[in-house]
Amino acid sequence: MKKLVFATNNQHKTEEVRTLLSGEYEVLNLKDIGCTTDIPETADSFAGNAELKSSFVAENFHLDCFADDSGLEVEALNNEPGIYSARYAGERGDEANLRLVLQKLEGEKNRKARFRTVVSLIQNGERFLFEGTVNGTIRKTPTGGNGFGYDPVFQPDGYEQTFAEMSMSQKNEISHRAIAMRKLIHFLKEKAL
Ligand code: ITT
């Protein structure tokens, strides 16, 4: 099977993307290629950070690869946490990050939010970007044990469950990452023709 390198340290993202590409590509993440560097994410946009991650692998490992930078944008918080989603509450992780969002939204009526992913692909030295967005609302109480990050508080529009109450395959039908990845898959298939 053809191999694709996904420049991520996030095991949840790896599993979601492996499921999306199963049967078509074997997905290797940073650990699988022996990359132990915590690649700096110093850009001021999802696209910029995604490109930093994919470029790092292309330059240091001489491999074609793709990377995803993603996050939650909450309307009433001026689109925070945005690119700071992974470290919104400092180094304390997923639970603290989502608690901080809930705390900042206390008493706020506007609970609108969206998840965004930008995927950067580097292929034969050329760069390509693919984007995915899903709109929803922030629940008052975290619900559900699946997924990761802000999934327990994010309820996508048109559904009664949070992402964390959905199975991975349900989330993969509608998520920001799945939308961006389907564009990437379509692109790879067109190019292979
Ligand atoms: P890599 O950079 O190694 O890929 P990361 O977790 O640091 O892993 P990002 O820099 O893209 O990834 O940060 C994304 C953060 O946004 C992530 O840690 C979550 O807090 C949140 N996030 C992104 N996609 C999510 C999703 O599908 N469900 C829940 N939270 C998500």
Side-chain angles (χ1 to χ4, degrees):
M1 207 183 315
K2 283 181 274 184
K3 292 184 183 184
L4 266 182
V5 177
F6 181 15
T8 185
N9 284 310
N10 185 316
Q11 197 56 33
H12 290 279
K13 284 186 182 181
T14 306
E15 292 312 324
E16 287 182 9
V17 165
R18 274 198 180 129
T19 307
L20 284 165
L21 290 174
S22 69
E24 307 196 56
Y25 290 93
E26 182 187 344
V27 176
L28 307 177
N29 66 16
L30 290 175
K31 197 169 152 220
D32 298 324
I33 62 163
C35 177
T36 51
T37 311
D38 189 13
I39 305 167
E41 294 179 36
T42 49
D44 61 2
S45 63
F46 291 119
N49 282 329
E51 288 200 325
L52 284 176
K53 291 183 252 190
S54 58
S55 307
F56 185 91
V57 170
E59 282 161 21
N60 293 283
F61 290 79
H62 309 288
L63 292 168
D64 286 349
C65 82
F66 68 93
D68 138 338
D69 201 58
S70 47
L72 180 71
E73 294 183 335
V74 180
E75 198 173 271
L77 302 180
N78 297 318
N79 289 334
E80 281 185 9
I83 59 166
Y84 304 108
S85 291
R87 50 186 189 279
Y88 196 40
E91 298 300 313
R92 287 174 295 148
D94 284 357
E95 174 76 18
N97 288 337
L98 75 81
R99 292 275 164 208
L100 184 56
V101 167
L102 290 182
Q103 190 188 318
K104 291 197 177 200
L105 283 178
E106 256 170 45
E108 174 61 58
K109 287 209 174 64
N110 177 6
R111 316 284 299 185
K112 282 189 200 159
R114 59 182 183 171
F115 267 127
R116 277 180 64 202
T117 290
V118 177
V119 169
S120 158
L121 169 73
I122 300 196
Q123 201 181 37
N124 301 322
E126 276 188 279
R127 291 154 181 258
F128 307 92
L129 292 175
F130 308 90
E131 186 159 353
T133 303
V134 59
N135 293 314
T137 49
I138 302 296
R139 284 265 195 96
K140 292 204 166 126
T141 315
T143 320
N146 299 331
F148 69 104
Y150 302 89
D151 282 343
V153 291
F154 185 82
Q155 180 176 317
D157 287 350
Y159 295 81
E160 295 298 316
Q161 301 152 292
T162 65
F163 268 170
E165 292 177 291
M166 295 183 177
S167 64
M168 189 197 290
S169 64
Q170 283 175 304
K171 182 181 170 189
N172 264 347
E173 278 171 29
I174 55 171
S175 83
H176 49 311
R177 182 163 302 99
I179 293 167
M181 286 305 301
R182 281 200 202 95
K183 291 180 186 169
L184 170 76
I185 295 164
H186 180 76
F187 174 85
L188 292 173
K189 282 191 175 155
E190 293 267 295
K191 273 208 131 186
L193 288 177

